Amino acid sequence: MLKEGRARNVAIAHAASLGVGAAATDGRPPCPEYPLRSGAPEAPDETYRTVREAFRLLCLDEEHLGTPGWNPLGELIRPGDRVLIKPNLIRAAHPERPAEWEQLITHPSLIRAVVAFVFIALEGRGRVTIADGPQTDSDFEEICRRTHLDDIAAQFRALGLDVVVLDLRRECWLQKDGVTYQRRALAGDPSGYTEIDLGSKSEFEHGYRLTGRFYGADYDTAETARYHSGGQHRYVLCRTAMDADVVINLPKMKTHKKTGVTLSLKNMVGINGYRNCLPHHTLGTPSDGGDEFAVSNRRTRLQGRLLSTVKKLITFRGSKGGVLARSAFKLGRRVFGGTEEVVRSGNWWGNDTTWRMVLDLNKCLFRFTGDGKERTKPLRYLSIVDGMTAGEGNGPVHVDAKPCGLIVCGFNPLAVDAVCAEIMGFDSACIPMLARGFDVQEYPLADFVAEAIECSSNHPKWSGSFAQLRRAPHMGFRPHFGWVGRIERPPADR
């Protein structure tokens, strides 16, 4: 069991500040617990050392720190447990710069480091699943090639640990010019799926004032409506995640077009088993009761009607578009501008839909088991945010690399994400997913307020209360253009 009060503690390890308590001083190796003494890598890398520092800052297994018997995750993981490691594997590369990928997805060095600590805690008994449901048009094989996930799994299997890598998606969509033309069935989650209806406890039942004409992840809006209408708010979750004894969340530190930031909370979209049940925005302009566009005028209303017509035609054709659909979208981009240039599809600070869906998904994970029943014991959970090379700008996939050398770690996703947002240079109180997350009444995600968060860091200006962190220097991230002027903290020296 976690010690009382742990949930509000967040560690911020800064790679450039390592050396403060990071190594033993009596001549032993600096990481004596490191289990990979043969094969590659033969020595702990910078990421491992930074994760290690985050665990030290959280005061995990203080008694054995600096010894071969140090087991920082022993408080969380028991031998025989089923452990889910959930990275962000959204896509293999930047859409315009195919050689770039490190700012998009969780770096393999972090995944390897975490599996090493899980290996120690399991003592050779249990199962580790590294899993995600990437973007529907992503190539999972290419993601695995770039991240060496299969090699990492094989390396630990050779040590006797049961490790598997899973693509949780049920379909992969092949697209051309942004239009899906083929859908390939995938194996999906071998454990199956669980449907949870939050009903009146959904965030869409509390303070939501838009029309509820949702657009999901696919062309068929009627399908999304079947999951969210008549008092129902149904979500389809992967049982591998819901049945896990321990969930270790490894999100990437990035900006996001619909939620401002994508960190621990948003990363849980990847455990959803059916993307079109997830509302991404509400159709229409603000004056029409929608958040698809940021302004209400003749131009945006015309865009909305044309987009709706084309997508209905694609739905009629079996949700697969051909030359005519691609020509229509190309013409639309020439007339109205591309999505990476103008605000549409709910890609702005006024999106009142996506953050509610994200909080709902986290409620499902933390409150229900794989058989759809409410948990009788709290989920054992840890979030370790990859901010070694982060992403800023037009996130989540068009981000520019921002080297930060950060690992942020804690036992509560809201606490971790609020701290990350402040360090990135954003006011967490201005990001609905975070600010409203602390206000959740039905199935709350935290039993404390943001002001109760306590930070520990090897960067002295980031240690102390949450109020102190909000006054401290930050990394000055550039937000998505749809969020510019709404969430930035005042400039500060780094």
Side-chain angles (χ1 to χ4, degrees), residues 406-436:
L406 291 176
I407 294 292
V408 183
C409 181
F411 296 102
N412 181 280
L414 267 171
V416 170
D417 287 5
V419 167
C420 285
E422 297 292 337
I423 291 173
M424 292 167 79
F426 302 138
D427 186 344
S428 59
C430 295
I431 299 174
M433 181 174 64
L434 305 182
R436 299 290 291 274

mmCIF file of all heavy atoms in Angstrom, residues 406-436:
data_model
loop_
_atom_site.group_PDB
_atom_site.id
_atom_site.type_symbol
_atom_site.label_atom_id
_atom_site.label_comp_id
_atom_site.label_asym_id
_atom_site.label_seq_id
_atom_site.Cartn_x
_atom_site.Cartn_y
_atom_site.Cartn_z
ATOM 1 N N LEU A 406 13.876 16.473 -18.454
ATOM 2 C CA LEU A 406 13.021 16.358 -17.275
ATOM 3 C C LEU A 406 12.335 14.997 -17.184
ATOM 4 O O LEU A 406 11.903 14.432 -18.197
ATOM 5 C CB LEU A 406 11.925 17.422 -17.307
ATOM 6 C CG LEU A 406 12.332 18.879 -17.114
ATOM 7 C CD1 LEU A 406 11.100 19.769 -17.278
ATOM 8 C CD2 LEU A 406 12.954 19.087 -15.744
ATOM 9 N N ILE A 407 12.225 14.492 -15.981
ATOM 10 C CA ILE A 407 11.336 13.386 -15.649
ATOM 11 C C ILE A 407 10.481 13.863 -14.476
ATOM 12 O O ILE A 407 11.009 14.301 -13.451
ATOM 13 C CB ILE A 407 12.110 12.114 -15.244
ATOM 14 C CG1 ILE A 407 12.895 11.555 -16.424
ATOM 15 C CG2 ILE A 407 11.152 11.069 -14.671
ATOM 16 C CD1 ILE A 407 12.047 10.973 -17.547
ATOM 17 N N VAL A 408 9.154 13.822 -14.653
ATOM 18 C CA VAL A 408 8.228 14.234 -13.599
ATOM 19 C C VAL A 408 7.422 13.006 -13.192
ATOM 20 O O VAL A 408 6.876 12.309 -14.044
ATOM 21 C CB VAL A 408 7.304 15.370 -14.065
ATOM 22 C CG1 VAL A 408 6.401 15.828 -12.918
ATOM 23 C CG2 VAL A 408 8.121 16.540 -14.602
ATOM 24 N N CYS A 409 7.350 12.756 -11.892
ATOM 25 C CA CYS A 409 6.842 11.470 -11.422
ATOM 26 C C CYS A 409 5.938 11.654 -10.205
ATOM 27 O O CYS A 409 6.221 12.477 -9.327
ATOM 28 C CB CYS A 409 8.041 10.585 -11.067
ATOM 29 S SG CYS A 409 7.653 8.947 -10.485
ATOM 30 N N GLY A 410 4.841 10.884 -10.169
ATOM 31 C CA GLY A 410 3.961 10.925 -9.017
ATOM 32 C C GLY A 410 2.875 9.885 -9.114
ATOM 33 O O GLY A 410 2.715 9.218 -10.140
ATOM 34 N N PHE A 411 2.084 9.756 -8.044
ATOM 35 C CA PHE A 411 1.094 8.699 -7.939
ATOM 36 C C PHE A 411 -0.313 9.148 -8.303
ATOM 37 O O PHE A 411 -1.239 8.335 -8.279
ATOM 38 C CB PHE A 411 1.091 8.132 -6.514
ATOM 39 C CG PHE A 411 2.384 7.466 -6.138
ATOM 40 C CD1 PHE A 411 3.313 8.121 -5.331
ATOM 41 C CD2 PHE A 411 2.682 6.203 -6.607
ATOM 42 C CE1 PHE A 411 4.506 7.501 -4.986
ATOM 43 C CE2 PHE A 411 3.875 5.586 -6.269
ATOM 44 C CZ PHE A 411 4.797 6.234 -5.459
ATOM 45 N N ASN A 412 -0.505 10.423 -8.631
ATOM 46 C CA ASN A 412 -1.814 10.924 -9.014
ATOM 47 C C ASN A 412 -1.692 11.702 -10.321
ATOM 48 O O ASN A 412 -0.887 12.625 -10.418
ATOM 49 C CB ASN A 412 -2.389 11.823 -7.922
ATOM 50 C CG ASN A 412 -3.769 12.343 -8.270
ATOM 51 O OD1 ASN A 412 -3.924 13.294 -9.024
ATOM 52 N ND2 ASN A 412 -4.802 11.706 -7.731
ATOM 53 N N PRO A 413 -2.487 11.344 -11.342
ATOM 54 C CA PRO A 413 -2.308 11.983 -12.647
ATOM 55 C C PRO A 413 -2.620 13.473 -12.650
ATOM 56 O O PRO A 413 -1.964 14.246 -13.366
ATOM 57 C CB PRO A 413 -3.275 11.217 -13.559
ATOM 58 C CG PRO A 413 -4.295 10.631 -12.632
ATOM 59 C CD PRO A 413 -3.552 10.327 -11.367
ATOM 60 N N LEU A 414 -3.604 13.898 -11.864
ATOM 61 C CA LEU A 414 -3.925 15.321 -11.814
ATOM 62 C C LEU A 414 -2.784 16.120 -11.200
ATOM 63 O O LEU A 414 -2.408 17.189 -11.712
ATOM 64 C CB LEU A 414 -5.200 15.535 -10.993
ATOM 65 C CG LEU A 414 -6.520 15.564 -11.756
ATOM 66 C CD1 LEU A 414 -7.686 15.557 -10.781
ATOM 67 C CD2 LEU A 414 -6.597 16.776 -12.674
ATOM 68 N N ALA A 415 -2.237 15.622 -10.112
ATOM 69 C CA ALA A 415 -1.128 16.320 -9.465
ATOM 70 C C ALA A 415 0.070 16.415 -10.394
ATOM 71 O O ALA A 415 0.687 17.480 -10.541
ATOM 72 C CB ALA A 415 -0.745 15.605 -8.174
ATOM 73 N N VAL A 416 0.408 15.295 -11.037
ATOM 74 C CA VAL A 416 1.559 15.282 -11.946
ATOM 75 C C VAL A 416 1.332 16.240 -13.111
ATOM 76 O O VAL A 416 2.224 17.018 -13.484
ATOM 77 C CB VAL A 416 1.807 13.849 -12.463
ATOM 78 C CG1 VAL A 416 2.823 13.841 -13.599
ATOM 79 C CG2 VAL A 416 2.297 12.954 -11.323
ATOM 80 N N ASP A 417 0.141 16.222 -13.690
ATOM 81 C CA ASP A 417 -0.122 17.059 -14.862
ATOM 82 C C ASP A 417 -0.156 18.542 -14.516
ATOM 83 O O ASP A 417 0.298 19.385 -15.298
ATOM 84 C CB ASP A 417 -1.444 16.641 -15.510
ATOM 85 C CG ASP A 417 -1.339 15.309 -16.240
ATOM 86 O OD1 ASP A 417 -0.268 14.671 -16.160
ATOM 87 O OD2 ASP A 417 -2.309 14.899 -16.888
ATOM 88 N N ALA A 418 -0.689 18.881 -13.354
ATOM 89 C CA ALA A 418 -0.704 20.283 -12.937
ATOM 90 C C ALA A 418 0.719 20.801 -12.762
ATOM 91 O O ALA A 418 1.051 21.922 -13.187
ATOM 92 C CB ALA A 418 -1.498 20.439 -11.643
ATOM 93 N N VAL A 419 1.579 19.986 -12.158
ATOM 94 C CA VAL A 419 2.983 20.367 -11.986
ATOM 95 C C VAL A 419 3.669 20.508 -13.343
ATOM 96 O O VAL A 419 4.388 21.486 -13.593
ATOM 97 C CB VAL A 419 3.708 19.326 -11.105
ATOM 98 C CG1 VAL A 419 5.226 19.511 -11.168
ATOM 99 C CG2 VAL A 419 3.223 19.428 -9.668
ATOM 100 N N CYS A 420 3.448 19.557 -14.234
ATOM 101 C CA CYS A 420 4.059 19.626 -15.564
ATOM 102 C C CYS A 420 3.630 20.890 -16.313
ATOM 103 O O CYS A 420 4.458 21.564 -16.935
ATOM 104 C CB CYS A 420 3.682 18.396 -16.387
ATOM 105 S SG CYS A 420 4.540 16.882 -15.939
ATOM 106 N N ALA A 421 2.336 21.202 -16.254
ATOM 107 C CA ALA A 421 1.839 22.387 -16.953
ATOM 108 C C ALA A 421 2.534 23.652 -16.465
ATOM 109 O O ALA A 421 2.937 24.512 -17.268
ATOM 110 C CB ALA A 421 0.324 22.503 -16.782
ATOM 111 N N GLU A 422 2.706 23.773 -15.149
ATOM 112 C CA GLU A 422 3.360 24.960 -14.600
ATOM 113 C C GLU A 422 4.829 25.027 -15.030
ATOM 114 O O GLU A 422 5.341 26.096 -15.368
ATOM 115 C CB GLU A 422 3.249 24.952 -13.071
ATOM 116 C CG GLU A 422 1.826 25.026 -12.535
ATOM 117 C CD GLU A 422 1.152 26.364 -12.795
ATOM 118 O OE1 GLU A 422 1.856 27.368 -12.995
ATOM 119 O OE2 GLU A 422 -0.106 26.395 -12.782
ATOM 120 N N ILE A 423 5.509 23.882 -15.025
ATOM 121 C CA ILE A 423 6.911 23.868 -15.449
ATOM 122 C C ILE A 423 7.036 24.194 -16.937
ATOM 123 O O ILE A 423 7.985 24.856 -17.367
ATOM 124 C CB ILE A 423 7.541 22.491 -15.138
ATOM 125 C CG1 ILE A 423 7.673 22.301 -13.633
ATOM 126 C CG2 ILE A 423 8.928 22.357 -15.785
ATOM 127 C CD1 ILE A 423 8.125 20.921 -13.242
ATOM 128 N N MET A 424 6.070 23.756 -17.726
ATOM 129 C CA MET A 424 6.087 24.048 -19.152
ATOM 130 C C MET A 424 5.911 25.539 -19.409
ATOM 131 O O MET A 424 6.296 26.049 -20.461
ATOM 132 C CB MET A 424 4.980 23.261 -19.853
ATOM 133 C CG MET A 424 5.211 21.749 -19.871
ATOM 134 S SD MET A 424 3.738 20.810 -20.358
ATOM 135 C CE MET A 424 3.776 21.005 -22.146
ATOM 136 N N GLY A 425 5.315 26.238 -18.446
ATOM 137 C CA GLY A 425 5.089 27.676 -18.596
ATOM 138 C C GLY A 425 3.638 28.018 -18.809
ATOM 139 O O GLY A 425 3.310 29.110 -19.281
ATOM 140 N N PHE A 426 2.734 27.095 -18.422
ATOM 141 C CA PHE A 426 1.305 27.314 -18.577
ATOM 142 C C PHE A 426 0.629 27.424 -17.214
ATOM 143 O O PHE A 426 1.055 26.810 -16.242
ATOM 144 C CB PHE A 426 0.670 26.168 -19.364
ATOM 145 C CG PHE A 426 1.276 25.963 -20.731
ATOM 146 C CD1 PHE A 426 1.537 24.681 -21.197
ATOM 147 C CD2 PHE A 426 1.598 27.036 -21.545
ATOM 148 C CE1 PHE A 426 2.104 24.479 -22.456
ATOM 149 C CE2 PHE A 426 2.159 26.850 -22.801
ATOM 150 C CZ PHE A 426 2.418 25.566 -23.251
ATOM 151 N N ASP A 427 -0.437 28.198 -17.176
ATOM 152 C CA ASP A 427 -1.232 28.349 -15.956
ATOM 153 C C ASP A 427 -2.215 27.183 -15.900
ATOM 154 O O ASP A 427 -3.186 27.136 -16.667
ATOM 155 C CB ASP A 427 -1.965 29.686 -15.994
ATOM 156 C CG ASP A 427 -2.706 29.987 -14.696
ATOM 157 O OD1 ASP A 427 -2.905 29.052 -13.894
ATOM 158 O OD2 ASP A 427 -3.100 31.153 -14.501
ATOM 159 N N SER A 428 -1.984 26.246 -15.001
ATOM 160 C CA SER A 428 -2.836 25.061 -14.922
ATOM 161 C C SER A 428 -4.283 25.420 -14.612
ATOM 162 O O SER A 428 -5.205 24.686 -14.980
ATOM 163 C CB SER A 428 -2.301 24.086 -13.868
ATOM 164 O OG SER A 428 -2.239 24.700 -12.590
ATOM 165 N N ALA A 429 -4.502 26.555 -13.964
ATOM 166 C CA ALA A 429 -5.867 26.985 -13.637
ATOM 167 C C ALA A 429 -6.632 27.420 -14.874
ATOM 168 O O ALA A 429 -7.855 27.565 -14.828
ATOM 169 C CB ALA A 429 -5.822 28.120 -12.618
ATOM 170 N N CYS A 430 -5.930 27.646 -15.990
ATOM 171 C CA CYS A 430 -6.565 28.075 -17.240
ATOM 172 C C CYS A 430 -6.734 26.924 -18.228
ATOM 173 O O CYS A 430 -7.153 27.141 -19.364
ATOM 174 C CB CYS A 430 -5.751 29.190 -17.891
ATOM 175 S SG CYS A 430 -5.696 30.715 -16.929
ATOM 176 N N ILE A 431 -6.387 25.716 -17.806
ATOM 177 C CA ILE A 431 -6.535 24.530 -18.654
ATOM 178 C C ILE A 431 -7.690 23.713 -18.082
ATOM 179 O O ILE A 431 -7.561 23.112 -17.005
ATOM 180 C CB ILE A 431 -5.236 23.713 -18.693
ATOM 181 C CG1 ILE A 431 -4.100 24.562 -19.265
ATOM 182 C CG2 ILE A 431 -5.409 22.430 -19.503
ATOM 183 C CD1 ILE A 431 -2.735 23.893 -19.220
ATOM 184 N N PRO A 432 -8.857 23.678 -18.754
ATOM 185 C CA PRO A 432 -10.043 23.036 -18.173
ATOM 186 C C PRO A 432 -9.819 21.599 -17.715
ATOM 187 O O PRO A 432 -10.329 21.201 -16.659
ATOM 188 C CB PRO A 432 -11.071 23.111 -19.313
ATOM 189 C CG PRO A 432 -10.662 24.302 -20.105
ATOM 190 C CD PRO A 432 -9.164 24.327 -20.042
ATOM 191 N N MET A 433 -9.081 20.803 -18.479
ATOM 192 C CA MET A 433 -8.845 19.412 -18.112
ATOM 193 C C MET A 433 -8.224 19.296 -16.725
ATOM 194 O O MET A 433 -8.502 18.356 -15.979
ATOM 195 C CB MET A 433 -7.934 18.757 -19.151
ATOM 196 C CG MET A 433 -7.624 17.290 -18.918
ATOM 197 S SD MET A 433 -6.687 16.588 -20.297
ATOM 198 C CE MET A 433 -5.151 17.552 -20.208
ATOM 199 N N LEU A 434 -7.379 20.267 -16.366
ATOM 200 C CA LEU A 434 -6.708 20.247 -15.067
ATOM 201 C C LEU A 434 -7.533 20.970 -14.006
ATOM 202 O O LEU A 434 -7.794 20.426 -12.926
ATOM 203 C CB LEU A 434 -5.323 20.871 -15.193
ATOM 204 C CG LEU A 434 -4.412 20.256 -16.255
ATOM 205 C CD1 LEU A 434 -3.049 20.923 -16.247
ATOM 206 C CD2 LEU A 434 -4.282 18.751 -16.065
ATOM 207 N N ALA A 435 -7.927 22.192 -14.298
ATOM 208 C CA ALA A 435 -8.676 22.973 -13.299
ATOM 209 C C ALA A 435 -9.984 22.287 -12.931
ATOM 210 O O ALA A 435 -10.328 22.156 -11.743
ATOM 211 C CB ALA A 435 -8.947 24.367 -13.852
ATOM 212 N N ARG A 436 -10.711 21.810 -13.942
ATOM 213 C CA ARG A 436 -11.987 21.150 -13.673
ATOM 214 C C ARG A 436 -11.774 19.738 -13.130
ATOM 215 O O ARG A 436 -12.651 19.183 -12.465
ATOM 216 C CB ARG A 436 -12.832 21.121 -14.947
ATOM 217 C CG ARG A 436 -13.186 22.507 -15.494
ATOM 218 C CD ARG A 436 -14.178 23.246 -14.624
ATOM 219 N NE ARG A 436 -15.485 22.625 -14.670
ATOM 220 C CZ ARG A 436 -16.405 22.883 -15.599
ATOM 221 N NH1 ARG A 436 -16.155 23.777 -16.551
ATOM 222 N NH2 ARG A 436 -17.568 22.275 -15.570
#
